[in-house]
Amino acid sequence: MFYEYLDRHDLTALLVPREAYHPFPGRQAREQWESLSAHKREALLAWGEEARAGYPMLTATQFLAFSRSGSREAYETPYFARRRMMMGAALAECVRDDGSYLDAVIDGIWCICEESTWVISAHNGSDHPGAPAMDKRPLPDVANPYVDLFAAQTAAALADTLYLLEDRLDAVSPLIARRVRAEIERRVIHPFMTHDDFWWMGMIRRDVNNWTPWICSNVIETALLLEGDRIRRGEIVSRALRMLDSYLAVMPADGGCDEGAGYFNMAGAALLDCLESVYLATQGRVSFYEEPHIRAIGEFPLRAHVAGPYFLNFADCDAMPRMDGERIHRFGERTGNAALASLGAWLAAQHDGVKPLDTPQMNRVLLTLFARLPEDAPAPAHAPFEALPDLQVYVWRQGGLLAAIKGGHNGENHNHNDVGSLVVFCDGEPQLVDMGNRTYTAATFGPQRYTLDNTRSKNHSLPLIDGMEQAPGRRFAARNVRADAQGASLDIAGAYPAEAGAVSAVRSLRMTDRGILLTDDIVLAREAPVQWVFMLRERPELSAGEARFGRLCLTFDPSLRAEAEELPVTDARMARSFPGSLWRLTLDAAKQGRHTQNFTITRS
């Protein structure tokens, strides 16, 4: 898409001059800053006070913690705190406009410019040629800068700060802005323009993910705001757009994000950032919003939304992710999707603060501050049946019940071994759940990933065949997947290792007048036991052939041996969605060559 467009058009000639690019109000636009609500102004000033208290240290041993113990937080906590504090000070200075917070801004800029690397410890090297292997690179190589998500995001935050305050900084010393530009060029722009071998560029690897639009969106933002050479500015933006073709190539036609709804902020919404920056920088002359693939990607949050704060959370996704409502609303407006725009406005209204929703993306804060969103936006209406056939995720709504099931394979981005897993909500509340995400450590993306409780199929609503769980890898996949408005059928035998002996394992879900009918028909090469797992939000009350939990009742063959295990949620990230405990209900069947079981889920 982008290669084709750029082969036919001169983007450089279409871009407005740097001085005319105003994606959000500069500090000099006093009327707009002063029109912010009293609540927002007070919140921004309070945020600015955090920086005046002093910036945290970043040490070599904090960086080393990732290679030593697997801890990401040891380095990331002060790293992100620095950037948030600098952002808060810059925005507070724009509100006050009297120099009160300027020293705090300067200290933040200087701290960040003095860092040996802008790459976080978990991404150090990251398949970068010339960098040592992971276990040999505990510290950054300052002579060999890499560009990861947060190096690019840091560059954009600094560019935004200069956009707002460069004249004030110059009054103290022109060396401040000069230093910022030099560091951004050395650490981000020069490597971006001279390397073809960073994996996320899609030139040496095709299996790209959200890194591509996330990094490109920040590079585009930085170039549009800072690059003074008209030709080079156009070249940087054009190079970034061409990389996005690699991202579109791995995105399914249905727009589904296998990283989960929580990653839309920095996947589909980062793609929007790229498109919107170019749209604004060309005064609407370059627009890709009519492209069906782009529109489908933008619609994913609407399809994945359950109700209230809840979203489908297959893969590494929180059940209550912090979604960027302003970006979703803007996507809906640009693509003429009123329901998507309504969802975005509703989500934005739920976020009462001014700070970033997740990582410190400064332009997102500014865009949200000045967004004109509808007041009292209603929660969006949803279709009774949603199909994402490429992602193989299907959703049904009937009588206050929502059921969703996924097929796919076990080699997806941020994968859990969960082919055939289902979740059920009743009146917008989670009942049959996916554990979702947990705090990242070295194990999250290393060889120990599938020792983590939230990634294993034994902790999803799935059968265990002869005690065996599903296996990781793309070849472990669903077969013969069919779905319509009444239900779905898929064979999940291929998701298990050959040793399990599953000839077929057809899982069928049907929506009925009474509720949900789930049927498993498992044919084995030998007689073996099967254990069914149901992951519950609330403690079940068990009786013969019945489990009552929350607002639902699960009925099953009384011959199955039922047990319930409490799983206290001790991980801080998971506890944001599921405080307290989850419950693992197991139903055991004795050895047979074929297991056919019906499970019904109805209101209690």
mmCIF file of all heavy atoms in Angstrom, residues 531-567:
data_model
loop_
_atom_site.group_PDB
_atom_site.id
_atom_site.type_symbol
_atom_site.label_atom_id
_atom_site.label_comp_id
_atom_site.label_asym_id
_atom_site.label_seq_id
_atom_site.Cartn_x
_atom_site.Cartn_y
_atom_site.Cartn_z
ATOM 1 N N GLN A 531 -9.315 -34.625 31.454
ATOM 2 C CA GLN A 531 -9.726 -33.688 32.499
ATOM 3 C C GLN A 531 -10.122 -32.372 31.842
ATOM 4 O O GLN A 531 -9.358 -31.807 31.079
ATOM 5 C CB GLN A 531 -8.581 -33.433 33.486
ATOM 6 C CG GLN A 531 -8.941 -32.464 34.601
ATOM 7 C CD GLN A 531 -7.763 -32.148 35.512
ATOM 8 O OE1 GLN A 531 -6.876 -31.382 35.145
ATOM 9 N NE2 GLN A 531 -7.742 -32.762 36.690
ATOM 10 N N TRP A 532 -11.340 -31.918 32.133
ATOM 11 C CA TRP A 532 -11.800 -30.627 31.631
ATOM 12 C C TRP A 532 -11.533 -29.551 32.678
ATOM 13 O O TRP A 532 -11.777 -29.757 33.872
ATOM 14 C CB TRP A 532 -13.290 -30.665 31.305
ATOM 15 C CG TRP A 532 -13.574 -31.315 29.977
ATOM 16 C CD1 TRP A 532 -13.685 -30.707 28.771
ATOM 17 C CD2 TRP A 532 -13.784 -32.714 29.744
ATOM 18 N NE1 TRP A 532 -13.940 -31.625 27.783
ATOM 19 C CE2 TRP A 532 -14.009 -32.872 28.354
ATOM 20 C CE3 TRP A 532 -13.788 -33.852 30.566
ATOM 21 C CZ2 TRP A 532 -14.243 -34.109 27.781
ATOM 22 C CZ3 TRP A 532 -14.020 -35.080 29.989
ATOM 23 C CH2 TRP A 532 -14.239 -35.203 28.613
ATOM 24 N N VAL A 533 -11.040 -28.427 32.217
ATOM 25 C CA VAL A 533 -10.752 -27.293 33.095
ATOM 26 C C VAL A 533 -11.691 -26.150 32.727
ATOM 27 O O VAL A 533 -11.900 -25.851 31.541
ATOM 28 C CB VAL A 533 -9.287 -26.835 32.948
ATOM 29 C CG1 VAL A 533 -9.022 -25.590 33.797
ATOM 30 C CG2 VAL A 533 -8.328 -27.961 33.327
ATOM 31 N N PHE A 534 -12.255 -25.518 33.758
ATOM 32 C CA PHE A 534 -13.038 -24.297 33.583
ATOM 33 C C PHE A 534 -12.487 -23.268 34.565
ATOM 34 O O PHE A 534 -12.463 -23.513 35.772
ATOM 35 C CB PHE A 534 -14.524 -24.547 33.837
ATOM 36 C CG PHE A 534 -15.167 -25.436 32.813
ATOM 37 C CD1 PHE A 534 -15.214 -26.821 32.998
ATOM 38 C CD2 PHE A 534 -15.706 -24.902 31.656
ATOM 39 C CE1 PHE A 534 -15.789 -27.653 32.049
ATOM 40 C CE2 PHE A 534 -16.281 -25.722 30.690
ATOM 41 C CZ PHE A 534 -16.326 -27.104 30.889
ATOM 42 N N MET A 535 -12.046 -22.149 34.028
ATOM 43 C CA MET A 535 -11.464 -21.094 34.851
ATOM 44 C C MET A 535 -12.564 -20.116 35.252
ATOM 45 O O MET A 535 -13.180 -19.462 34.399
ATOM 46 C CB MET A 535 -10.361 -20.371 34.092
ATOM 47 C CG MET A 535 -9.182 -21.263 33.718
ATOM 48 S SD MET A 535 -8.293 -21.928 35.154
ATOM 49 C CE MET A 535 -7.646 -20.418 35.875
ATOM 50 N N LEU A 536 -12.817 -20.007 36.542
ATOM 51 C CA LEU A 536 -13.961 -19.256 37.058
ATOM 52 C C LEU A 536 -13.505 -18.007 37.805
ATOM 53 O O LEU A 536 -12.465 -18.007 38.470
ATOM 54 C CB LEU A 536 -14.792 -20.130 38.003
ATOM 55 C CG LEU A 536 -15.152 -21.534 37.505
ATOM 56 C CD1 LEU A 536 -15.970 -22.260 38.555
ATOM 57 C CD2 LEU A 536 -15.883 -21.473 36.175
ATOM 58 N N ARG A 537 -14.324 -16.981 37.717
ATOM 59 C CA ARG A 537 -14.028 -15.742 38.452
ATOM 60 C C ARG A 537 -14.388 -15.878 39.922
ATOM 61 O O ARG A 537 -13.745 -15.259 40.774
ATOM 62 C CB ARG A 537 -14.810 -14.564 37.832
ATOM 63 C CG ARG A 537 -14.589 -13.232 38.557
ATOM 64 C CD ARG A 537 -13.153 -12.773 38.419
ATOM 65 N NE ARG A 537 -12.839 -11.575 39.183
ATOM 66 C CZ ARG A 537 -12.195 -11.558 40.342
ATOM 67 N NH1 ARG A 537 -11.795 -12.700 40.903
ATOM 68 N NH2 ARG A 537 -11.934 -10.417 40.956
ATOM 69 N N GLU A 538 -15.409 -16.674 40.238
ATOM 70 C CA GLU A 538 -15.886 -16.765 41.617
ATOM 71 C C GLU A 538 -15.932 -18.211 42.082
ATOM 72 O O GLU A 538 -15.985 -19.143 41.285
ATOM 73 C CB GLU A 538 -17.261 -16.105 41.726
ATOM 74 C CG GLU A 538 -17.240 -14.630 41.360
ATOM 75 C CD GLU A 538 -18.571 -13.945 41.578
ATOM 76 O OE1 GLU A 538 -19.195 -14.210 42.619
ATOM 77 O OE2 GLU A 538 -18.986 -13.167 40.708
ATOM 78 N N ARG A 539 -15.920 -18.367 43.399
ATOM 79 C CA ARG A 539 -15.915 -19.698 44.001
ATOM 80 C C ARG A 539 -17.157 -20.487 43.568
ATOM 81 O O ARG A 539 -18.292 -19.988 43.677
ATOM 82 C CB ARG A 539 -15.912 -19.582 45.522
ATOM 83 C CG ARG A 539 -15.942 -20.937 46.248
ATOM 84 C CD ARG A 539 -16.378 -20.769 47.702
ATOM 85 N NE ARG A 539 -15.457 -19.914 48.436
ATOM 86 C CZ ARG A 539 -14.423 -20.357 49.149
ATOM 87 N NH1 ARG A 539 -14.202 -21.663 49.226
ATOM 88 N NH2 ARG A 539 -13.650 -19.515 49.793
ATOM 89 N N PRO A 540 -16.980 -21.710 43.081
ATOM 90 C CA PRO A 540 -18.147 -22.507 42.694
ATOM 91 C C PRO A 540 -18.727 -23.290 43.874
ATOM 92 O O PRO A 540 -18.008 -23.719 44.782
ATOM 93 C CB PRO A 540 -17.575 -23.462 41.654
ATOM 94 C CG PRO A 540 -16.157 -23.670 42.102
ATOM 95 C CD PRO A 540 -15.718 -22.367 42.726
ATOM 96 N N GLU A 541 -20.039 -23.458 43.830
ATOM 97 C CA GLU A 541 -20.721 -24.360 44.754
ATOM 98 C C GLU A 541 -21.018 -25.636 43.970
ATOM 99 O O GLU A 541 -21.743 -25.619 42.971
ATOM 100 C CB GLU A 541 -22.013 -23.730 45.259
ATOM 101 C CG GLU A 541 -21.790 -22.473 46.088
ATOM 102 C CD GLU A 541 -23.101 -21.849 46.539
ATOM 103 O OE1 GLU A 541 -24.169 -22.459 46.258
ATOM 104 O OE2 GLU A 541 -23.061 -20.767 47.148
ATOM 105 N N LEU A 542 -20.454 -26.743 44.442
ATOM 106 C CA LEU A 542 -20.517 -27.988 43.691
ATOM 107 C C LEU A 542 -21.576 -28.917 44.259
ATOM 108 O O LEU A 542 -21.741 -29.040 45.479
ATOM 109 C CB LEU A 542 -19.161 -28.696 43.715
ATOM 110 C CG LEU A 542 -17.957 -27.921 43.156
ATOM 111 C CD1 LEU A 542 -16.688 -28.752 43.282
ATOM 112 C CD2 LEU A 542 -18.207 -27.540 41.712
ATOM 113 N N SER A 543 -22.287 -29.577 43.353
ATOM 114 C CA SER A 543 -23.185 -30.671 43.694
ATOM 115 C C SER A 543 -23.138 -31.646 42.530
ATOM 116 O O SER A 543 -22.445 -31.404 41.532
ATOM 117 C CB SER A 543 -24.614 -30.157 43.931
ATOM 118 O OG SER A 543 -25.101 -29.482 42.790
ATOM 119 N N ALA A 544 -23.832 -32.739 42.623
ATOM 120 C CA ALA A 544 -23.767 -33.757 41.572
ATOM 121 C C ALA A 544 -24.183 -33.178 40.224
ATOM 122 O O ALA A 544 -25.322 -32.752 40.045
ATOM 123 C CB ALA A 544 -24.668 -34.935 41.941
ATOM 124 N N GLY A 545 -23.224 -33.156 39.307
ATOM 125 C CA GLY A 545 -23.522 -32.699 37.955
ATOM 126 C C GLY A 545 -23.764 -31.215 37.820
ATOM 127 O O GLY A 545 -24.308 -30.777 36.786
ATOM 128 N N GLU A 546 -23.319 -30.426 38.795
ATOM 129 C CA GLU A 546 -23.644 -29.003 38.732
ATOM 130 C C GLU A 546 -22.590 -28.183 39.477
ATOM 131 O O GLU A 546 -22.095 -28.577 40.532
ATOM 132 C CB GLU A 546 -25.015 -28.778 39.360
ATOM 133 C CG GLU A 546 -25.549 -27.368 39.215
ATOM 134 C CD GLU A 546 -26.962 -27.252 39.773
ATOM 135 O OE1 GLU A 546 -27.910 -27.558 39.022
ATOM 136 O OE2 GLU A 546 -27.100 -26.887 40.960
ATOM 137 N N ALA A 547 -22.267 -27.023 38.919
ATOM 138 C CA ALA A 547 -21.392 -26.053 39.582
ATOM 139 C C ALA A 547 -22.034 -24.685 39.425
ATOM 140 O O ALA A 547 -22.272 -24.231 38.298
ATOM 141 C CB ALA A 547 -19.998 -26.069 38.977
ATOM 142 N N ARG A 548 -22.329 -24.034 40.545
ATOM 143 C CA ARG A 548 -22.891 -22.687 40.509
ATOM 144 C C ARG A 548 -21.809 -21.707 40.924
ATOM 145 O O ARG A 548 -21.151 -21.870 41.965
ATOM 146 C CB ARG A 548 -24.095 -22.575 41.456
ATOM 147 C CG ARG A 548 -25.289 -23.407 41.001
ATOM 148 C CD ARG A 548 -26.495 -23.242 41.917
ATOM 149 N NE ARG A 548 -27.619 -24.019 41.420
ATOM 150 C CZ ARG A 548 -28.504 -23.587 40.534
ATOM 151 N NH1 ARG A 548 -28.392 -22.349 40.064
ATOM 152 N NH2 ARG A 548 -29.490 -24.352 40.118
ATOM 153 N N PHE A 549 -21.621 -20.684 40.105
ATOM 154 C CA PHE A 549 -20.584 -19.693 40.378
ATOM 155 C C PHE A 549 -21.063 -18.354 39.849
ATOM 156 O O PHE A 549 -21.591 -18.247 38.744
ATOM 157 C CB PHE A 549 -19.260 -20.086 39.720
ATOM 158 C CG PHE A 549 -19.358 -20.360 38.241
ATOM 159 C CD1 PHE A 549 -19.055 -19.380 37.311
ATOM 160 C CD2 PHE A 549 -19.777 -21.600 37.772
ATOM 161 C CE1 PHE A 549 -19.147 -19.617 35.946
ATOM 162 C CE2 PHE A 549 -19.872 -21.847 36.409
ATOM 163 C CZ PHE A 549 -19.561 -20.854 35.491
ATOM 164 N N GLY A 550 -20.915 -17.343 40.676
ATOM 165 C CA GLY A 550 -21.341 -16.013 40.255
ATOM 166 C C GLY A 550 -22.797 -16.014 39.827
ATOM 167 O O GLY A 550 -23.682 -16.439 40.566
ATOM 168 N N ARG A 551 -23.048 -15.606 38.594
ATOM 169 C CA ARG A 551 -24.400 -15.516 38.080
ATOM 170 C C ARG A 551 -24.785 -16.702 37.204
ATOM 171 O O ARG A 551 -25.856 -16.706 36.598
ATOM 172 C CB ARG A 551 -24.548 -14.218 37.265
ATOM 173 C CG ARG A 551 -24.142 -12.977 38.041
ATOM 174 C CD ARG A 551 -24.297 -11.726 37.211
ATOM 175 N NE ARG A 551 -23.765 -10.565 37.928
ATOM 176 C CZ ARG A 551 -23.978 -9.300 37.600
ATOM 177 N NH1 ARG A 551 -24.728 -9.022 36.545
ATOM 178 N NH2 ARG A 551 -23.461 -8.316 38.288
ATOM 179 N N LEU A 552 -23.895 -17.716 37.137
ATOM 180 C CA LEU A 552 -24.107 -18.804 36.186
ATOM 181 C C LEU A 552 -24.135 -20.162 36.862
ATOM 182 O O LEU A 552 -23.687 -20.332 38.005
ATOM 183 C CB LEU A 552 -22.999 -18.795 35.133
ATOM 184 C CG LEU A 552 -22.888 -17.551 34.250
ATOM 185 C CD1 LEU A 552 -21.760 -17.725 33.250
ATOM 186 C CD2 LEU A 552 -24.205 -17.257 33.541
ATOM 187 N N CYS A 553 -24.653 -21.109 36.099
ATOM 188 C CA CYS A 553 -24.665 -22.500 36.527
ATOM 189 C C CYS A 553 -24.120 -23.356 35.384
ATOM 190 O O CYS A 553 -24.578 -23.237 34.239
ATOM 191 C CB CYS A 553 -26.082 -22.932 36.875
ATOM 192 S SG CYS A 553 -26.220 -24.683 37.347
ATOM 193 N N LEU A 554 -23.135 -24.182 35.682
ATOM 194 C CA LEU A 554 -22.568 -25.122 34.721
ATOM 195 C C LEU A 554 -23.072 -26.515 35.079
ATOM 196 O O LEU A 554 -22.895 -26.981 36.208
ATOM 197 C CB LEU A 554 -21.042 -25.082 34.788
ATOM 198 C CG LEU A 554 -20.288 -26.151 33.989
ATOM 199 C CD1 LEU A 554 -20.402 -25.897 32.495
ATOM 200 C CD2 LEU A 554 -18.817 -26.200 34.405
ATOM 201 N N THR A 555 -23.717 -27.167 34.122
ATOM 202 C CA THR A 555 -24.172 -28.542 34.349
ATOM 203 C C THR A 555 -23.341 -29.487 33.497
ATOM 204 O O THR A 555 -22.922 -29.152 32.381
ATOM 205 C CB THR A 555 -25.661 -28.707 34.021
ATOM 206 O OG1 THR A 555 -25.894 -28.355 32.657
ATOM 207 C CG2 THR A 555 -26.510 -27.824 34.922
ATOM 208 N N PHE A 556 -23.121 -30.706 34.037
ATOM 209 C CA PHE A 556 -22.252 -31.676 33.377
ATOM 210 C C PHE A 556 -22.663 -33.072 33.815
ATOM 211 O O PHE A 556 -23.507 -33.252 34.716
ATOM 212 C CB PHE A 556 -20.785 -31.407 33.724
ATOM 213 C CG PHE A 556 -20.521 -31.237 35.204
ATOM 214 C CD1 PHE A 556 -20.242 -32.330 36.021
ATOM 215 C CD2 PHE A 556 -20.573 -29.975 35.793
ATOM 216 C CE1 PHE A 556 -20.010 -32.171 37.383
ATOM 217 C CE2 PHE A 556 -20.344 -29.806 37.157
ATOM 218 C CZ PHE A 556 -20.061 -30.898 37.961
ATOM 219 N N ASP A 557 -22.093 -34.075 33.197
ATOM 220 C CA ASP A 557 -22.375 -35.472 33.507
ATOM 221 C C ASP A 557 -21.991 -35.737 34.971
ATOM 222 O O ASP A 557 -20.836 -35.510 35.360
ATOM 223 C CB ASP A 557 -21.567 -36.369 32.573
ATOM 224 C CG ASP A 557 -21.914 -37.836 32.709
ATOM 225 O OD1 ASP A 557 -22.324 -38.268 33.799
ATOM 226 O OD2 ASP A 557 -21.753 -38.563 31.713
ATOM 227 N N PRO A 558 -22.933 -36.211 35.792
ATOM 228 C CA PRO A 558 -22.621 -36.446 37.213
ATOM 229 C C PRO A 558 -21.508 -37.456 37.440
ATOM 230 O O PRO A 558 -20.940 -37.509 38.539
ATOM 231 C CB PRO A 558 -23.957 -36.947 37.792
ATOM 232 C CG PRO A 558 -24.997 -36.471 36.832
ATOM 233 C CD PRO A 558 -24.345 -36.480 35.490
ATOM 234 N N SER A 559 -21.196 -38.268 36.422
ATOM 235 C CA SER A 559 -20.122 -39.250 36.602
ATOM 236 C C SER A 559 -18.743 -38.595 36.616
ATOM 237 O O SER A 559 -17.760 -39.224 37.032
ATOM 238 C CB SER A 559 -20.170 -40.290 35.483
ATOM 239 O OG SER A 559 -19.845 -39.704 34.230
ATOM 240 N N LEU A 560 -18.640 -37.366 36.171
ATOM 241 C CA LEU A 560 -17.362 -36.662 36.197
ATOM 242 C C LEU A 560 -17.028 -36.233 37.625
ATOM 243 O O LEU A 560 -17.882 -35.708 38.336
ATOM 244 C CB LEU A 560 -17.406 -35.433 35.289
ATOM 245 C CG LEU A 560 -17.644 -35.679 33.805
ATOM 246 C CD1 LEU A 560 -17.729 -34.346 33.057
ATOM 247 C CD2 LEU A 560 -16.557 -36.554 33.202
ATOM 248 N N ARG A 561 -15.779 -36.471 38.020
ATOM 249 C CA ARG A 561 -15.345 -36.086 39.366
ATOM 250 C C ARG A 561 -14.954 -34.615 39.368
ATOM 251 O O ARG A 561 -14.056 -34.198 38.642
ATOM 252 C CB ARG A 561 -14.175 -36.958 39.812
ATOM 253 C CG ARG A 561 -13.667 -36.654 41.220
ATOM 254 C CD ARG A 561 -12.682 -37.729 41.685
ATOM 255 N NE ARG A 561 -11.582 -37.868 40.764
ATOM 256 C CZ ARG A 561 -10.462 -37.129 40.781
ATOM 257 N NH1 ARG A 561 -10.337 -36.159 41.685
ATOM 258 N NH2 ARG A 561 -9.500 -37.342 39.917
ATOM 259 N N ALA A 562 -15.650 -33.830 40.191
ATOM 260 C CA ALA A 562 -15.467 -32.376 40.191
ATOM 261 C C ALA A 562 -14.661 -31.932 41.407
ATOM 262 O O ALA A 562 -14.927 -32.376 42.536
ATOM 263 C CB ALA A 562 -16.818 -31.674 40.179
ATOM 264 N N GLU A 563 -13.693 -31.051 41.164
ATOM 265 C CA GLU A 563 -12.918 -30.433 42.238
ATOM 266 C C GLU A 563 -12.677 -28.972 41.883
ATOM 267 O O GLU A 563 -12.581 -28.614 40.708
ATOM 268 C CB GLU A 563 -11.569 -31.136 42.437
ATOM 269 C CG GLU A 563 -11.681 -32.550 42.990
ATOM 270 C CD GLU A 563 -10.318 -33.148 43.304
ATOM 271 O OE1 GLU A 563 -9.299 -32.440 43.080
ATOM 272 O OE2 GLU A 563 -10.264 -34.302 43.749
ATOM 273 N N ALA A 564 -12.565 -28.140 42.911
ATOM 274 C CA ALA A 564 -12.308 -26.713 42.693
ATOM 275 C C ALA A 564 -11.083 -26.302 43.490
ATOM 276 O O ALA A 564 -10.940 -26.670 44.667
ATOM 277 C CB ALA A 564 -13.512 -25.882 43.109
ATOM 278 N N GLU A 565 -10.210 -25.567 42.839
ATOM 279 C CA GLU A 565 -8.972 -25.105 43.462
ATOM 280 C C GLU A 565 -8.933 -23.582 43.423
ATOM 281 O O GLU A 565 -9.137 -22.971 42.375
ATOM 282 C CB GLU A 565 -7.766 -25.666 42.704
ATOM 283 C CG GLU A 565 -6.424 -25.157 43.190
ATOM 284 C CD GLU A 565 -5.272 -25.584 42.292
ATOM 285 O OE1 GLU A 565 -5.519 -26.193 41.225
ATOM 286 O OE2 GLU A 565 -4.118 -25.270 42.649
ATOM 287 N N GLU A 566 -8.680 -22.973 44.565
ATOM 288 C CA GLU A 566 -8.552 -21.519 44.618
ATOM 289 C C GLU A 566 -7.163 -21.114 44.133
ATOM 290 O O GLU A 566 -6.159 -21.702 44.538
ATOM 291 C CB GLU A 566 -8.769 -21.013 46.039
ATOM 292 C CG GLU A 566 -8.727 -19.487 46.141
ATOM 293 C CD GLU A 566 -9.023 -18.979 47.536
ATOM 294 O OE1 GLU A 566 -9.060 -19.809 48.476
ATOM 295 O OE2 GLU A 566 -9.212 -17.749 47.696
ATOM 296 N N LEU A 567 -7.119 -20.092 43.274
ATOM 297 C CA LEU A 567 -5.860 -19.562 42.769
ATOM 298 C C LEU A 567 -5.751 -18.103 43.183
ATOM 299 O O LEU A 567 -6.244 -17.208 42.480
ATOM 300 C CB LEU A 567 -5.805 -19.685 41.240
ATOM 301 C CG LEU A 567 -5.964 -21.086 40.639
ATOM 302 C CD1 LEU A 567 -5.968 -21.011 39.116
ATOM 303 C CD2 LEU A 567 -4.869 -22.024 41.134
#
